[in-house]
């Protein structure tokens, strides 16, 4: 099945993929279809936490997101 997700920020796919693999490496998690959804989900959850933290800090500093 083809990946049909569309990014809200065109051009961000590469940065998100890099973040995904950095987080997976830090969590010592392997990614892929043979890995449990819990393990894959832990990577996505941590990515979300970091992105929210980044957005909050940017807003506190008066930066546009």
């Amino acid at each position: 099945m083809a990946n049909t997700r569309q990014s809200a920020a065109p051009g961000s796919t590469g940065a998100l993929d890099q973040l995904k693999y950095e987080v997976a490496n830090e969590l010592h998690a392997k990614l892929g279809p043979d890995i449990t959804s819990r393990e894959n989900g832990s990577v996505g959850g941590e990515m979300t936490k970091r992105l929210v933290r980044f957005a909050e800090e940017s807003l506190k500093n008066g930066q546009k997101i």
Side-chain angles (χ1 to χ4, degrees):
M1 179 181 277
N3 186 356
T4 60
R5 72 179 178 175
Q6 292 181 354
S7 176
S12 65
T13 304
L16 290 174
D17 281 343
Q18 181 180 352
L19 177 61
K20 175 174 58 178
Y21 288 107
E22 286 177 14
V23 168
N25 187 41
E26 290 175 18
L27 297 177
H28 305 288
K30 294 180 181 175
L31 299 173
D34 297 335
I35 305 302
T36 66
S37 58
R38 177 173 287 219
E39 191 169 11
N40 281 329
S42 67
V43 173
E46 182 63 25
M47 287 175 63
T48 301
K49 287 179 191 176
R50 291 183 189 194
L51 291 169
V52 167
R53 190 177 321 125
F54 172 77
E56 288 174 339
E57 289 174 9
S58 294
L59 289 172
K60 274 191 230 177
N61 295 327
Q63 298 172 346
K64 283 190 171 185
I65 299 177

